[in-house]
Amino acid sequence: MRKLAKYPTKLFTLMVLCFIGFSSLLLLISGIVYYETYSEIAYREIRTTKKELLDETSRKLSNYVAGIQDTAKFLVTNTMVQQYLSSAPDSEYDFVFKSRQLFEEFRKLATVKEGLFSIELYTDWLIGFPTFQDEFMHPMAEAQAQGWLGRMEKADGYWIESHEYPTSGSAVRMVSYVHRIIGNRGEILGVVKINIPDIKLLEILSKGTVDDRKEEYYVVMDSRGHYIASVLPPGMEAPKQAEDIAREVSGTKFSVIQSDSNSQYWMLQQLISKDVLKQSGKEIRLLIIGLLSALIIVSIPLALWLSRKLTSPIYGIVEGMRTVEKGDFNVRMKASNIQEYLYLTTHFNRMVDRLKALIGRLNQEHRNRREAEIHLLHAQIKPHFLYNTLDLIHWRALDYNAQEISQMVQQLSKLFRIGLSNDNWYVTVRDELAHARCYMAIQEYRQNFSIEYVDSVPSDLLDAFIPKIILQPFLENAVMHGFRNRDDKAVITVSLAHQEEAGDRQLIVTIEDNGSGLPEGFDVQKTGGIGIRNVMDRIHLYCGPKYGVIVVPREHGGTKVIVKLPLIRHEEEMELLTRSFAHEYDSFGG
């Protein structure tokens, strides 16, 4: 507690509250997103599973009603039924006999088919005879009175929705299938009506009874979407069409799923409590709440510790010093309303400003000294070649006529124009090759042996930039040292190519000759030749320490020089590289 009391109370408290608030908000949002995503997936999976089960149940129910329809079709196409109803009875005895035959035929099928309550026959065949088996056989006028006969004009057979059916005890709700009997001449002989208790029809949906499924509610529709039967929650009216049920359940605790529509099957709609669909999410919700609470509690001591660290003024000063040690003098400490911290930051910023100014002066002095060194290196290489060439002109003037001397002077003029015309560090590959050709042309006049010089450069590299006068010293060594004691033809080739190494674009210059090769124990890093040493120093100064020169013996005799340079295609890249290496030896960044 004593340590905590030393820290500024307002800032420390703010850090703690912000950290706890932010972490709590982040955890809460993550929990909500996870819960909503999980609930949505679970809800979708449950509905899909319920839908598959409902489709299976719909097919099961449709198979049953298809059997009922087949039974009706069997009766209406029965030869005995059509034969008896096609002609009026000859006598009362004949009527009673045939009526019993028809009753037995119908009763036999009613007892065989599961769930059938009764099979009735509506026909005018019985008119004119005494009432007999009135629970089985009825006149067509009764069918007309019940209101379903009119639909026979549009279909031979159809289902009648659940309706009250009077019995000896009490009324029972029935679902009926009716199919007309057509004679050989196309006349209507009667109508078969098969009655099924709707409760029996709904029990087919499961192994148990409807009472055992108190929380499961169904609506049965025919293939055209007409209502057949239903088990619905109290207070909900039976819909007439398939789309009506959505309006009925709107605003209630139920959700509707429907089996696939099919012209061959009945459709089922099931009402599922929304609580059932969301029940799987209760456990995950409790788990998320518990996890969030635990994480928030754990974050409190973490917030105290982290806030104490973040508000420590010494920590900020140390970080600033580390930045200065890396050479960045642009770092500034922000002012604070805490007196001690404000005093430290003010003096720290003042110290950095003074150091930056001092280092700036040192860097400028170093750059001036470096420029002088570069000019000195240029001065070393230029007179060296100039004196040798003037000496050559002198001896050639003694041996040949003035025209040849004129040609040599012309080549020398080109050589000076390229090499000494400006103070730029870089020239194009095109100019450097022209410089090399002039030099080799002069050497052909000077030497007493034949020289073949060949350069091979891709056209896309001719406008690239390289440090100037880097080919001539190696060409001079090849001519002067490679063929000093030989009189055979000298073949010297220069080739350029580009490559990429670890993301670094490089230009590779290769110089080969068929001369006498390297002396034993030769090391290019220890060579005393002013030309090669000058090239190596300039490459390091202009391009950096990772570029340089490699001199190795050639496989079939002679010497091979490999110069590795950065690939610079545009002046902007050249200027950027020049500026960056102008500060190569700066001790600190300014």
Side-chain angles (χ1 to χ4, degrees):
M1 293 303 294
R2 288 184 178 180
K3 292 182 178 180
L4 291 177
K6 294 181 180 180
Y7 290 91
T9 305
K10 292 182 179 180
L11 182 59
F12 181 78
T13 304
L14 180 62
M15 290 296 299
V16 172
L17 294 178
C18 287
F19 183 86
I20 295 176
F22 177 79
S23 59
S24 300
L25 180 61
L26 182 61
L27 292 172
L28 181 61
I29 293 175
S30 301
I32 292 174
V33 171
Y34 177 80
Y35 174 74
E36 290 297 330
T37 303
Y38 175 84
S39 299
E40 180 63 26
I41 294 174
Y43 180 85
R44 186 167 58 249
E45 291 296 325
I46 292 173
R47 283 188 66 91
T48 301
T49 303
K50 291 281 187 182
K51 173 70 167 44
E52 293 173 353
L53 293 175
L54 192 64
D55 289 340
E56 183 63 30
T57 304
S58 176
R59 286 189 289 270
K60 177 181 176 183
L61 181 61
S62 297
N63 291 335
Y64 175 77
V65 299
I68 299 298
Q69 294 176 184
D70 291 339
T71 301
K73 292 176 182 178
F74 175 81
L75 288 173
V76 301
T77 57
N78 188 288
T79 304
M80 183 189 72
V81 173
Q82 289 191 351
Q83 181 181 356
Y84 282 179
L85 298 180
S86 296
S87 58
D90 296 334
S91 61
E92 185 177 20
Y93 174 81
D94 185 50
F95 169 76
V96 173
F97 174 80
K98 291 181 177 179
S99 295
R100 287 181 176 175
Q101 289 287 325
L102 291 172
F103 175 77
E104 288 298 324
E105 186 70 19
F106 280 47
R107 188 176 64 83
K108 182 169 54 179
L109 288 175
T111 56
V112 172
K113 194 64 178 176
E114 179 186 0
L116 291 187
F117 180 82
S118 64
I119 303 178
E120 298 175 303
L121 175 62
Y122 291 81
T123 179
D124 289 337
W125 178 74
L126 56 77
I127 296 176
F129 293 94
T131 303
F132 179 78
Q133 296 181 350
D134 53 355
E135 292 184 0
F136 162 66
M137 193 178 298
H138 309 279
M140 296 293 286
E142 288 190 21
Q144 187 69 38
Q146 293 176 11
W148 50 264
L149 186 59
R151 293 173 60 187
M152 282 293 177
E153 297 177 1
K154 298 181 180 179
D156 291 336
Y158 54 88
W159 286 89
I160 302 174
E161 66 183 51
S162 179
H163 57 279
E164 294 288 343
Y165 184 87
T167 61
S168 57
S170 60
V172 178
R173 297 197 66 81
M174 292 287 180
V175 175
S176 302
Y177 180 76
V178 295
H179 200 289
R180 61 183 175 180
I181 305 172
I182 302 176
N184 294 331
R185 293 188 294 272
E187 74 278 16
I188 298 178
L189 303 178
V191 177
V192 173
K193 182 182 180 185
I194 301 177
N195 298 312
I196 306 169
D198 62 356
I199 192 170
K200 292 293 184 181
L201 192 65
L202 295 172
E203 284 179 358
I204 296 174
L205 302 177
S206 66
K207 296 180 181 179
T209 63
V210 174
D211 293 335
D212 295 332
R213 300 165 61 93
K214 294 180 180 179
E215 292 300 321
E216 295 189 12
Y217 304 102
Y218 293 92
V219 178
V220 182
M221 299 281 180
D222 64 14
S223 58
R224 297 181 180 180
H226 297 133
Y227 171 80
I228 299 297
S230 64
V231 177
L232 295 174
M236 189 175 293
E237 296 181 1
K240 296 302 179 184
Q241 296 293 330
E243 58 270 18
D244 295 340
I245 191 65
R247 292 194 296 269
E248 287 291 329
V249 301
S250 178
T252 67
K253 67 174 184 177
F254 294 99
S255 179
V256 179
I257 57 174
Q258 178 175 305
S259 63
D260 292 334
S261 300
N262 193 302
S263 60
Q264 299 178 355
Y265 298 107
W266 279 9
M267 292 188 299
L268 280 180
Q269 292 179 325
Q270 185 177 7
L271 276 64
I272 302 176
S273 175
K274 295 177 182 178
D275 295 335
V276 174
L277 294 175
K278 296 180 179 180
Q279 185 176 3
S280 60
K282 291 182 179 179
E283 294 182 2
I284 192 65
R285 182 168 62 247
L286 294 176
L287 177 62
I288 290 175
I289 292 174
L291 182 61
L292 290 178
S293 301
L295 290 175
I296 291 174
I297 293 174
V298 170
S299 68
I300 294 176
L302 180 62
L304 295 173
W305 176 82
L306 185 60
S307 298
R308 185 178 61 196
K309 291 295 183 182
L310 292 177
T311 53
S312 174
I314 301 301
Y315 179 81
I317 296 296
V318 170
E319 286 299 315
M321 290 182 175
R322 289 176 179 173
T323 305
V324 172
E325 288 177 354
K326 295 177 182 178
D328 184 4
F329 287 87
N330 295 315
V331 63
R332 292 294 181 273
M333 302 299 295
K334 295 183 180 179
S336 174
N337 55 2
I338 303 174
Q339 183 177 359
E340 292 80 4
Y341 191 52
L342 179 62
Y343 178 84
L344 290 174
T345 56
T346 301
H347 285 75
F348 177 84
N349 293 338
R350 190 178 302 169
M351 177 190 67
V352 171
D353 288 336
R354 292 178 178 176
L355 286 175
K356 183 178 181 180
L358 177 61
I359 295 300
R361 289 196 297 270
L362 292 176
N363 287 338
Q364 185 60 42
E365 293 175 2
H366 185 80
R367 283 193 293 270
N368 295 338
R369 185 180 63 184
R370 184 174 173 278
E371 290 292 336
E373 292 175 352
I374 292 175
H375 286 297
L376 178 60
L377 290 173
H378 280 295
Q380 289 176 339
I381 189 65
K382 292 173 185 176
H384 174 74
F385 181 71
L386 179 60
Y387 296 150
N388 289 339
T389 304
L390 291 176
D391 184 64
L392 174 62
I393 294 173
H394 169 72
W395 291 107
R396 283 292 182 185
L398 298 178
D399 297 335
Y400 296 95
N401 58 36
Q403 181 180 1
E404 191 170 325
I405 295 174
S406 175
Q407 293 177 352
M408 293 178 62
V409 171
Q410 185 178 11
Q411 295 294 334
L412 182 61
S413 176
K414 291 182 181 179
L415 195 68
F416 285 164
R417 184 167 58 252
I418 296 172
L420 307 177
S421 61
N422 56 63
D423 294 328
N424 291 336
W425 294 2
Y426 294 88
V427 295
T428 63
V429 171
R430 191 188 311 274
D431 291 341
E432 180 67 14
L433 290 176
H435 183 274
R437 293 190 194 105
C438 291
Y439 175 79
M440 294 305 296
I442 294 173
Q443 288 291 2
E444 288 183 14
Y445 288 111
R446 179 181 178 185
Q447 303 301 329
N448 56 3
F449 53 85
S450 177
I451 299 176
E452 180 183 347
Y453 170 75
V454 179
D455 53 42
S456 174
V457 182
S459 60
D460 63 328
L461 295 179
L462 289 175
D463 293 323
F465 292 90
I466 60 175
K468 66 180 180 180
I469 315 180
I470 62 170
L471 295 179
Q472 180 268 328
F474 298 106
L475 297 176
E476 180 180 357
N477 280 350
V479 173
M480 296 299 182
H481 302 292
F483 300 92
R484 176 179 298 173
N485 300 319
R486 299 175 57 174
D487 55 1
D488 54 336
K489 182 179 182 180
V491 179
I492 301 174
T493 62
V494 175
S495 61
L496 276 78
H498 65 87
Q499 69 178 21
E500 223 178 280
E501 182 178 317
D504 181 27
R505 297 185 304 168
Q506 297 179 352
L507 180 66
I508 306 301
V509 181
T510 305
I511 306 167
E512 296 182 87
D513 66 67
N514 61 339
S516 57
L518 297 172
E520 185 177 353
F522 177 82
D523 186 355
V524 70
Q525 300 297 331
K526 299 178 181 179
T527 181
I530 185 173
I532 296 180
R533 174 53 55 189
N534 180 278
V535 171
M536 294 173 60
D537 289 344
R538 286 190 294 121
I539 290 176
H540 287 161
L541 286 172
Y542 297 169
C543 306
K546 64 179 179 179
Y547 301 101
V549 178
I550 301 174
V551 181
V552 294
R554 211 167 63 129
E555 183 177 356
H556 301 293
T559 305
K560 181 177 183 179
V561 178
I562 301 173
V563 182
K564 185 184 293 186
L565 301 169
L567 178 57
I568 306 171
R569 292 187 179 273
H570 305 288
E571 292 187 5
E572 292 80 3
E573 296 178 5
M574 179 184 68
E575 293 175 0
L576 181 63
L577 184 65
T578 302
R579 286 197 302 268
S580 65
F581 280 101
H583 302 280
E584 181 182 5
Y585 295 102
D586 291 352
S587 301
F588 300 96

